[in-house]
Amino acid sequence: MQYEEQTTATNVWVMRHGQSTLNRAQCYQGCGAESELTAMGFESVRSAGKRLSGESIDVVYSSPLVRAQQTAALMCEALATNGISPELRIEPALKELELPGWEGLPYESVTRDQPEAFHRFRTSPAHFHLTKPNGSEIWPVQELEMRVHTLMIRLAREHRGGKILLVTHGGPARILLLAALGMTLDRFHSVQQS
């Protein structure tokens, strides 16, 4: 999906949160299982903050999840060391993809206990679906794609010619990379942002 054509470029930095407690435990996080940054996560964010500290970023958008908000706050602190004080806005569309029934579970147990669903997630993410506790079905990757594309259309209009930093998660970052590379949703697992 192409975002709105512009005559003035908007610079967008996409940053995934630092290592979190559930990353370290090798568990699915999704948007329901909450975790916080580890010491390594804080250190990697501080390092990234040093690299971006010279950029005149206008606004930082963060997922509402704790690990992303911790990352965004550190980035704002790093930018402030050079006199840059971007506004920090919480943006629900930057949340991780929803994985009901998987969130908080180790990767290994999902692979072992739900092999068919795991196989669909890895090989056909555009058609992958899960059932919520209330019995309704969700297509996590499709719904994430719609949410992120809708956000980017709005941000491209609102920040035409500006500089923005998006602090998000692996799933939304992948969606943005796929769009930038002109790749389809079934290539979701072909790109990674660490």
Side-chain angles (χ1 to χ4, degrees):
M1 174 180 266
Q2 288 280 325
Y3 299 123
E4 181 178 316
E5 291 289 327
Q6 299 184 40
T7 56
T8 305
T10 301
N11 292 306
V12 179
W13 285 266
V14 179
M15 181 176 194
R16 184 176 180 223
H17 61 81
Q19 182 194 60
S20 69
T21 52
L22 285 176
N23 287 142
R24 184 179 57 207
Q26 297 187 357
C27 294
Y28 285 99
Q29 294 182 96
C31 63
E34 200 52 77
S35 62
E36 298 182 349
L37 294 183
T38 63
M40 179 186 288
F42 278 108
E43 184 57 37
S44 66
V45 173
R46 286 187 188 100
S47 177
K50 288 178 187 173
R51 287 195 298 274
L52 280 182
S53 65
E55 299 294 338
S56 56
I57 293 172
D58 303 313
V59 62
V60 176
Y61 284 92
S62 174
S63 157
L65 300 179
V66 171
R67 57 196 184 268
Q69 286 194 56
Q70 290 174 316
T71 300
L74 286 172
M75 292 306 293
C76 287
E77 286 177 21
L79 293 167
T81 62
N82 283 333
I84 301 162
S85 297
E87 180 183 357
L88 174 57
R89 297 182 189 174
I90 303 303
E91 177 51 63
L94 290 173
K95 287 189 311 185
E96 182 59 283
L97 78 160
E98 190 175 352
L99 293 170
W102 290 18
E103 293 167 353
L105 295 179
Y107 303 142
E108 184 180 292
S109 71
V110 170
T111 305
R112 180 190 64 239
D113 299 339
Q114 300 180 49
E116 290 177 24
F118 177 77
H119 180 73
R120 275 194 317 273
F121 180 54
R122 295 298 300 179
T123 62
S124 187
H127 305 288
F128 165 69
H129 61 89
L130 289 170
T131 304
K132 290 184 169 188
N134 67 6
S136 65
E137 294 215 325
I138 180 174
W139 282 259
V141 181
Q142 284 183 24
E143 292 178 17
L144 176 65
E145 180 185 46
M146 181 61 72
R147 181 171 23 108
V148 170
H149 285 314
T150 300
L151 171 68
M152 290 310 296
I153 290 166
R154 179 172 57 83
L155 294 182
R157 288 183 185 137
E158 187 176 332
H159 298 286
R160 185 166 287 153
K163 296 181 178 185
I164 61 176
L165 170 63
L166 306 178
V167 179
T168 190
H169 308 271
R174 286 177 181 179
I175 295 295
L176 291 166
L177 289 169
L178 289 174
L181 296 170
M183 297 170 75
T184 66
L185 196 56
D186 273 325
R187 301 301 305 245
F188 183 75
H189 294 289
S190 301
V191 295
Q192 179 66 29
Q193 182 189 24
S194 58

